Each structure stands twice: as C-alpha cells, then as structure tokens.
Amino acid sequence: MLNSQVIQILSAEELRRTVNRLASQIVESSADLSNLVLLGIRTRGVPLSLLLAKQIQALENVKVPLGSIDITFYRDDLDKVGLRTPGKTDIPVDINGKIVVLVDDVIYSGRTIGAALSAANDYGRPQVIRLAVLVDRGHRELPIHADFVGKVLPTAKEEQVKVFLQDPDGRDAVELIKKSK
C-alpha cells in the first residue's frame, strides 16, 4: 500500500515574496518594458503570469501584455501523459521583435518548454524568448534552462511538486509529495 508524505516547500508568504523577486528580475533584465510580453503556459503558468504582470505593474507602473499558450498539439509525450483537451492560446499582441517571457510553474524534463518554444515560434519571431519558472526540480531530458527561477528544488523522479495558486486553487503554496510504501 502506498502512502504519501506532503512537505510544504513554500508558504503563501514565501510564494508571494518569490513572485515579487521573479518580477524584479524580469524588469531588471528587460531594457525596454514596452517590448515585454508574458505568456503563461497552460495550465498553472497562466495564473502565475498574471501574478507577475500585477507585480511588474506595481513596481514600474507599466501594464505588460499578458497571454496564454497551449502546447497540447506540440507535445512529444502524449502517449505518456494521455489525451488532453486542448486549451485556448491567446496572444493579444504581435510578438515579432518582442521580449517574450514564457511562464510556467515547474520545470522538470524540459519537454513542456520545448513544446512551448515551438508553439511560440508559430506566432511570430520574438527578439528573445526567456523562461520564468516558480520551481526548478531538475531531471532535464532536453538542454533547456530557466532564466528566472523562484526555487531550485532537487527531487527524486518519483516525487511530485504541486503548485497551488489562489486563483484557481483557493490557496497559495508549493508542496513536495513523496510516495512511501
């Protein structure tokens, strides 16, 4: 019989501070905020990108264009993750020549990000594409790294990292789930 042990990695307050730091790093690395576009990767990257956009607006009084990108048709691992109903891609501005920051909650193998890069390139040719993630748990299968990382969390492959955000989950937290016998 399998049991799970849940370990809190980030509390609501720690998650808030981490998002604030990520937003500051994005601002510092972007010479021209009028060229910045945030694209949240469905599903948890979308509400996370909204939090980053709100914090950037609070810091710099600049409203950053915000969109979402669905990678379902770009995945190379549908046989492993199962069939999914595609979500909507919504890119509200022309991304040609822009600084695009892809936003996701957790980076693991890098396959989601590889698919997101392919999807983004179908919508234009940005000046640069960067990656912001809340948690980097290691175990890359592709040569992809995040430019902005909230928390590096070495994990075992059988462990799971769960990100909870107020919208849609009703709470803010990051938890590590360890399976035990």
Side-chain angles (χ1 to χ4, degrees), residues 19-20 22-30 32-42 44-59 62-70 88-95 98-104 116 120 126 128-133 147-148:
V19 168
N20 292 351
L22 286 169
S24 294
Q25 291 173 346
I26 291 168
V27 166
E28 289 171 8
S29 75
S30 304
D32 182 2
L33 292 178
S34 68
N35 268 340
L36 183 63
V37 178
L38 298 179
L39 293 181
I41 301 170
R42 293 204 176 271
R44 285 292 182 277
V46 174
L48 183 58
S49 65
L50 179 60
L51 293 174
L52 289 169
K54 285 180 180 176
Q55 185 59 26
I56 290 170
Q57 186 167 7
L59 290 169
V62 173
K63 189 168 183 165
V64 176
L66 183 62
S68 62
I69 195 160
D70 181 77
K88 183 180 179 203
T89 292
D90 177 27
I91 302 177
V93 296
D94 181 3
I95 63 171
K98 301 287 188 184
I99 300 165
V100 172
V101 178
L102 294 174
V103 179
D104 206 5
V128 63
I129 299 177
R130 295 196 171 111
L131 175 61
V133 297
D147 300 282
F148 313 105

Side-chain angles (χ1 to χ4, degrees), residues 75-154:
R75 295 189 73 110
D76 67 355
D77 60 352
L78 282 175
D79 58 327
K80 291 180 183 173
V81 298
L83 291 177
R84 296 180 175 205
T85 303
K88 183 180 179 203
T89 292
D90 177 27
I91 302 177
V93 296
D94 181 3
I95 63 171
N96 285 300
K98 301 287 188 184
I99 300 165
V100 172
V101 178
L102 294 174
V103 179
D104 206 5
D105 59 344
V106 178
I107 185 169
Y108 177 52
S109 67
R111 293 193 177 278
T112 296
I113 307 309
L117 289 168
S118 295
N121 283 323
D122 278 354
Y123 288 91
R125 182 158 166 66
Q127 174 189 340
V128 63
I129 299 177
R130 295 196 171 111
L131 175 61
V133 297
L134 190 60
V135 178
D136 181 344
R137 62 172 291 199
H139 303 286
R140 281 317 168 278
E141 295 172 6
L142 298 175
I144 291 174
H145 78 279
D147 300 282
F148 313 105
V149 178
K151 175 98 175 150
V152 175
L153 181 65

